[in-house]
Amino acid sequence: MYNAVQKGGSPVRSYQIQDIRDFMKKLLIADTFDTFLLSEASITTYATFRIDGTFHPEFLSSVEAEQLGTEQCGYTLWKRIRPFFFELTKGKNTPLGFHIVFRLAPHNIQSLLRQSGVAFSPDDVDGLFLNIHYDGTHLTCVSGTSLRIFSLDKSLEHAWDSMLEKFFRQKEILFC
């Protein structure tokens, strides 16, 4: 189910979220994760709903598609899906569980590579992922990487983890 592992990538680090209620507000109400691309999501309430984050520009007029931009590289921004996902969580009962796979946008991958000094080129990177899994009791985030090339170099994984940890601290998301 974890996209990074399915694509031949590797899980990097697991983060146990300490304050689930606060995290859920940041995920579903605030714009905290809005710049991430949605690869896929599923949520189980009275039924299981699956969302494929693939962007379909042909659904929109050419003007609307142009306004959304092509920087999404085939995936929809979380900010466009978040209201629908939020609707599925509303009600007196907590979801039985959900799973969300975010991807870092290509321009952010370029920034990470440049800022960290990692020797990979943007074309070498298939994706940097953040998998969010809620099982009804615990909420866990797992980072993941996927390369288009074979490499034993773990510097990208370390840089991605460092970036996520910095992001969590900046957004005041408590983890261990």
mmCIF file of all heavy atoms in Angstrom, residues 24-34 38 77-89:
data_model
loop_
_atom_site.group_PDB
_atom_site.id
_atom_site.type_symbol
_atom_site.label_atom_id
_atom_site.label_comp_id
_atom_site.label_asym_id
_atom_site.label_seq_id
_atom_site.Cartn_x
_atom_site.Cartn_y
_atom_site.Cartn_z
ATOM 1 N N MET A 24 -4.809 16.357 12.927
ATOM 2 C CA MET A 24 -5.983 16.293 12.051
ATOM 3 C C MET A 24 -6.476 17.688 11.668
ATOM 4 O O MET A 24 -6.883 17.905 10.533
ATOM 5 C CB MET A 24 -7.109 15.492 12.714
ATOM 6 C CG MET A 24 -6.767 14.008 12.877
ATOM 7 S SD MET A 24 -6.386 13.194 11.324
ATOM 8 C CE MET A 24 -7.992 13.215 10.549
ATOM 9 N N LYS A 25 -6.423 18.637 12.597
ATOM 10 C CA LYS A 25 -6.786 20.020 12.267
ATOM 11 C C LYS A 25 -5.843 20.568 11.210
ATOM 12 O O LYS A 25 -6.272 21.228 10.270
ATOM 13 C CB LYS A 25 -6.730 20.897 13.521
ATOM 14 C CG LYS A 25 -7.858 20.676 14.482
ATOM 15 C CD LYS A 25 -7.708 21.579 15.691
ATOM 16 C CE LYS A 25 -8.731 21.238 16.747
ATOM 17 N NZ LYS A 25 -8.502 21.993 17.985
ATOM 18 N N LYS A 26 -4.569 20.295 11.367
ATOM 19 C CA LYS A 26 -3.575 20.788 10.413
ATOM 20 C C LYS A 26 -3.709 20.093 9.057
ATOM 21 O O LYS A 26 -3.477 20.705 8.025
ATOM 22 C CB LYS A 26 -2.170 20.621 10.980
ATOM 23 C CG LYS A 26 -1.940 21.563 12.146
ATOM 24 C CD LYS A 26 -0.641 21.335 12.865
ATOM 25 C CE LYS A 26 -0.555 22.354 13.990
ATOM 26 N NZ LYS A 26 0.511 22.128 14.907
ATOM 27 N N LEU A 27 -4.110 18.850 9.065
ATOM 28 C CA LEU A 27 -4.283 18.090 7.829
ATOM 29 C C LEU A 27 -5.558 18.479 7.084
ATOM 30 O O LEU A 27 -5.551 18.642 5.865
ATOM 31 C CB LEU A 27 -4.311 16.591 8.142
ATOM 32 C CG LEU A 27 -4.511 15.634 6.969
ATOM 33 C CD1 LEU A 27 -3.295 15.670 6.038
ATOM 34 C CD2 LEU A 27 -4.753 14.219 7.477
ATOM 35 N N LEU A 28 -6.667 18.644 7.816
ATOM 36 C CA LEU A 28 -7.977 18.787 7.189
ATOM 37 C C LEU A 28 -8.553 20.201 7.169
ATOM 38 O O LEU A 28 -9.416 20.493 6.343
ATOM 39 C CB LEU A 28 -8.981 17.856 7.874
ATOM 40 C CG LEU A 28 -8.650 16.373 7.807
ATOM 41 C CD1 LEU A 28 -9.627 15.574 8.637
ATOM 42 C CD2 LEU A 28 -8.623 15.898 6.371
ATOM 43 N N ILE A 29 -8.108 21.061 8.071
ATOM 44 C CA ILE A 29 -8.693 22.400 8.154
ATOM 45 C C ILE A 29 -7.688 23.477 7.738
ATOM 46 O O ILE A 29 -8.009 24.352 6.948
ATOM 47 C CB ILE A 29 -9.230 22.672 9.579
ATOM 48 C CG1 ILE A 29 -10.339 21.657 9.901
ATOM 49 C CG2 ILE A 29 -9.739 24.101 9.706
ATOM 50 C CD1 ILE A 29 -10.785 21.640 11.333
ATOM 51 N N ALA A 30 -6.481 23.396 8.253
ATOM 52 C CA ALA A 30 -5.452 24.384 7.933
ATOM 53 C C ALA A 30 -4.804 24.067 6.587
ATOM 54 O O ALA A 30 -5.029 23.004 6.002
ATOM 55 C CB ALA A 30 -4.398 24.403 9.047
ATOM 56 N N ASP A 31 -3.978 24.981 6.127
ATOM 57 C CA ASP A 31 -3.301 24.796 4.839
ATOM 58 C C ASP A 31 -1.914 24.158 4.986
ATOM 59 O O ASP A 31 -1.102 24.195 4.071
ATOM 60 C CB ASP A 31 -3.196 26.129 4.098
ATOM 61 C CG ASP A 31 -2.341 27.153 4.831
ATOM 62 O OD1 ASP A 31 -1.856 26.868 5.948
ATOM 63 O OD2 ASP A 31 -2.172 28.265 4.290
ATOM 64 N N THR A 32 -1.670 23.519 6.096
ATOM 65 C CA THR A 32 -0.361 22.976 6.447
ATOM 66 C C THR A 32 0.244 22.091 5.357
ATOM 67 O O THR A 32 1.419 22.211 5.037
ATOM 68 C CB THR A 32 -0.461 22.162 7.765
ATOM 69 O OG1 THR A 32 -1.087 22.989 8.757
ATOM 70 C CG2 THR A 32 0.891 21.710 8.250
ATOM 71 N N PHE A 33 -0.533 21.215 4.771
ATOM 72 C CA PHE A 33 -0.034 20.244 3.792
ATOM 73 C C PHE A 33 -0.451 20.593 2.348
ATOM 74 O O PHE A 33 -0.271 19.780 1.448
ATOM 75 C CB PHE A 33 -0.528 18.835 4.143
ATOM 76 C CG PHE A 33 0.036 18.308 5.431
ATOM 77 C CD1 PHE A 33 -0.632 18.503 6.634
ATOM 78 C CD2 PHE A 33 1.247 17.623 5.448
ATOM 79 C CE1 PHE A 33 -0.113 18.021 7.824
ATOM 80 C CE2 PHE A 33 1.780 17.143 6.645
ATOM 81 C CZ PHE A 33 1.101 17.345 7.829
ATOM 82 N N ASP A 34 -0.993 21.776 2.145
ATOM 83 C CA ASP A 34 -1.585 22.130 0.854
ATOM 84 C C ASP A 34 -0.624 22.128 -0.323
ATOM 85 O O ASP A 34 -1.045 21.992 -1.464
ATOM 86 C CB ASP A 34 -2.280 23.492 0.939
ATOM 87 C CG ASP A 34 -3.654 23.404 1.574
ATOM 88 O OD1 ASP A 34 -4.069 22.297 1.971
ATOM 89 O OD2 ASP A 34 -4.313 24.453 1.676
ATOM 90 N N LEU A 38 -1.069 15.010 -3.977
ATOM 91 C CA LEU A 38 -1.713 13.782 -3.512
ATOM 92 C C LEU A 38 -1.481 12.685 -4.535
ATOM 93 O O LEU A 38 -1.898 12.807 -5.692
ATOM 94 C CB LEU A 38 -3.210 13.984 -3.302
ATOM 95 C CG LEU A 38 -3.940 12.721 -2.853
ATOM 96 C CD1 LEU A 38 -3.522 12.334 -1.445
ATOM 97 C CD2 LEU A 38 -5.434 12.909 -2.934
ATOM 98 N N LEU A 77 -2.880 18.881 -6.248
ATOM 99 C CA LEU A 77 -2.471 19.414 -4.955
ATOM 100 C C LEU A 77 -3.464 18.995 -3.873
ATOM 101 O O LEU A 77 -4.677 18.941 -4.118
ATOM 102 C CB LEU A 77 -2.398 20.944 -5.008
ATOM 103 C CG LEU A 77 -1.235 21.532 -5.782
ATOM 104 C CD1 LEU A 77 -1.458 23.016 -6.033
ATOM 105 C CD2 LEU A 77 0.074 21.304 -5.037
ATOM 106 N N TRP A 78 -2.953 18.736 -2.680
ATOM 107 C CA TRP A 78 -3.788 18.355 -1.544
ATOM 108 C C TRP A 78 -4.861 19.418 -1.278
ATOM 109 O O TRP A 78 -5.984 19.092 -0.916
ATOM 110 C CB TRP A 78 -2.933 18.127 -0.307
ATOM 111 C CG TRP A 78 -3.724 17.883 0.936
ATOM 112 C CD1 TRP A 78 -3.770 18.681 2.045
ATOM 113 C CD2 TRP A 78 -4.590 16.770 1.230
ATOM 114 N NE1 TRP A 78 -4.604 18.142 2.995
ATOM 115 C CE2 TRP A 78 -5.122 16.963 2.516
ATOM 116 C CE3 TRP A 78 -4.967 15.636 0.506
ATOM 117 C CZ2 TRP A 78 -6.007 16.066 3.106
ATOM 118 C CZ3 TRP A 78 -5.857 14.742 1.096
ATOM 119 C CH2 TRP A 78 -6.361 14.962 2.383
ATOM 120 N N LYS A 79 -4.533 20.686 -1.472
ATOM 121 C CA LYS A 79 -5.496 21.744 -1.162
ATOM 122 C C LYS A 79 -6.774 21.610 -1.984
ATOM 123 O O LYS A 79 -7.827 22.088 -1.575
ATOM 124 C CB LYS A 79 -4.878 23.128 -1.323
ATOM 125 C CG LYS A 79 -4.642 23.586 -2.738
ATOM 126 C CD LYS A 79 -4.070 24.994 -2.738
ATOM 127 C CE LYS A 79 -3.808 25.493 -4.129
ATOM 128 N NZ LYS A 79 -3.247 26.854 -4.078
ATOM 129 N N ARG A 80 -6.720 20.962 -3.134
ATOM 130 C CA ARG A 80 -7.914 20.784 -3.955
ATOM 131 C C ARG A 80 -8.751 19.579 -3.505
ATOM 132 O O ARG A 80 -9.949 19.522 -3.728
ATOM 133 C CB ARG A 80 -7.531 20.620 -5.416
ATOM 134 C CG ARG A 80 -6.753 21.815 -5.914
ATOM 135 C CD ARG A 80 -6.645 21.915 -7.390
ATOM 136 N NE ARG A 80 -5.558 22.747 -7.824
ATOM 137 C CZ ARG A 80 -5.411 24.036 -7.564
ATOM 138 N NH1 ARG A 80 -6.293 24.656 -6.824
ATOM 139 N NH2 ARG A 80 -4.382 24.718 -8.017
ATOM 140 N N ILE A 81 -8.106 18.611 -2.871
ATOM 141 C CA ILE A 81 -8.783 17.394 -2.411
ATOM 142 C C ILE A 81 -9.213 17.508 -0.944
ATOM 143 O O ILE A 81 -10.185 16.890 -0.516
ATOM 144 C CB ILE A 81 -7.853 16.167 -2.587
ATOM 145 C CG1 ILE A 81 -7.438 15.998 -4.050
ATOM 146 C CG2 ILE A 81 -8.489 14.895 -2.048
ATOM 147 C CD1 ILE A 81 -8.564 15.664 -4.995
ATOM 148 N N ARG A 82 -8.487 18.309 -0.194
ATOM 149 C CA ARG A 82 -8.718 18.416 1.259
ATOM 150 C C ARG A 82 -10.186 18.632 1.635
ATOM 151 O O ARG A 82 -10.695 17.942 2.537
ATOM 152 C CB ARG A 82 -7.831 19.525 1.833
ATOM 153 C CG ARG A 82 -7.988 19.703 3.320
ATOM 154 C CD ARG A 82 -6.925 20.616 3.922
ATOM 155 N NE ARG A 82 -6.634 21.818 3.203
ATOM 156 C CZ ARG A 82 -7.224 22.998 3.410
ATOM 157 N NH1 ARG A 82 -8.181 23.106 4.311
ATOM 158 N NH2 ARG A 82 -6.874 24.051 2.711
ATOM 159 N N PRO A 83 -10.938 19.537 0.991
ATOM 160 C CA PRO A 83 -12.343 19.727 1.383
ATOM 161 C C PRO A 83 -13.185 18.461 1.239
ATOM 162 O O PRO A 83 -14.065 18.197 2.057
ATOM 163 C CB PRO A 83 -12.850 20.826 0.442
ATOM 164 C CG PRO A 83 -11.626 21.507 -0.065
ATOM 165 C CD PRO A 83 -10.538 20.473 -0.063
ATOM 166 N N PHE A 84 -12.930 17.672 0.203
ATOM 167 C CA PHE A 84 -13.685 16.427 -0.005
ATOM 168 C C PHE A 84 -13.321 15.396 1.063
ATOM 169 O O PHE A 84 -14.185 14.702 1.597
ATOM 170 C CB PHE A 84 -13.417 15.864 -1.403
ATOM 171 C CG PHE A 84 -13.762 16.830 -2.492
ATOM 172 C CD1 PHE A 84 -12.762 17.485 -3.182
ATOM 173 C CD2 PHE A 84 -15.086 17.109 -2.810
ATOM 174 C CE1 PHE A 84 -13.071 18.393 -4.183
ATOM 175 C CE2 PHE A 84 -15.411 18.017 -3.805
ATOM 176 C CZ PHE A 84 -14.396 18.666 -4.488
ATOM 177 N N PHE A 85 -12.037 15.299 1.357
ATOM 178 C CA PHE A 85 -11.578 14.362 2.384
ATOM 179 C C PHE A 85 -12.156 14.767 3.739
ATOM 180 O O PHE A 85 -12.593 13.922 4.511
ATOM 181 C CB PHE A 85 -10.040 14.340 2.426
ATOM 182 C CG PHE A 85 -9.474 13.097 3.030
ATOM 183 C CD1 PHE A 85 -9.241 11.967 2.255
ATOM 184 C CD2 PHE A 85 -9.163 13.036 4.381
ATOM 185 C CE1 PHE A 85 -8.715 10.810 2.811
ATOM 186 C CE2 PHE A 85 -8.633 11.891 4.942
ATOM 187 C CZ PHE A 85 -8.408 10.775 4.152
ATOM 188 N N PHE A 86 -12.167 16.067 4.011
ATOM 189 C CA PHE A 86 -12.735 16.572 5.261
ATOM 190 C C PHE A 86 -14.205 16.189 5.391
ATOM 191 O O PHE A 86 -14.657 15.766 6.462
ATOM 192 C CB PHE A 86 -12.554 18.090 5.342
ATOM 193 C CG PHE A 86 -13.152 18.704 6.580
ATOM 194 C CD1 PHE A 86 -12.650 18.404 7.837
ATOM 195 C CD2 PHE A 86 -14.214 19.587 6.489
ATOM 196 C CE1 PHE A 86 -13.200 18.970 8.977
ATOM 197 C CE2 PHE A 86 -14.775 20.153 7.618
ATOM 198 C CZ PHE A 86 -14.273 19.844 8.869
ATOM 199 N N GLU A 87 -14.967 16.314 4.317
ATOM 200 C CA GLU A 87 -16.385 15.937 4.333
ATOM 201 C C GLU A 87 -16.569 14.476 4.729
ATOM 202 O O GLU A 87 -17.519 14.126 5.413
ATOM 203 C CB GLU A 87 -17.036 16.193 2.972
ATOM 204 C CG GLU A 87 -17.422 17.619 2.726
ATOM 205 C CD GLU A 87 -18.449 18.154 3.714
ATOM 206 O OE1 GLU A 87 -19.458 17.462 3.987
ATOM 207 O OE2 GLU A 87 -18.242 19.272 4.220
ATOM 208 N N LEU A 88 -15.656 13.626 4.287
ATOM 209 C CA LEU A 88 -15.751 12.201 4.612
ATOM 210 C C LEU A 88 -15.461 11.919 6.086
ATOM 211 O O LEU A 88 -15.852 10.872 6.596
ATOM 212 C CB LEU A 88 -14.800 11.394 3.725
ATOM 213 C CG LEU A 88 -15.144 11.377 2.241
ATOM 214 C CD1 LEU A 88 -14.012 10.746 1.435
ATOM 215 C CD2 LEU A 88 -16.454 10.645 1.996
ATOM 216 N N THR A 89 -14.776 12.832 6.757
ATOM 217 C CA THR A 89 -14.432 12.610 8.174
ATOM 218 C C THR A 89 -15.449 13.224 9.124
ATOM 219 O O THR A 89 -15.434 12.923 10.312
ATOM 220 C CB THR A 89 -13.053 13.205 8.510
ATOM 221 O OG1 THR A 89 -13.100 14.629 8.393
ATOM 222 C CG2 THR A 89 -11.968 12.625 7.644
#
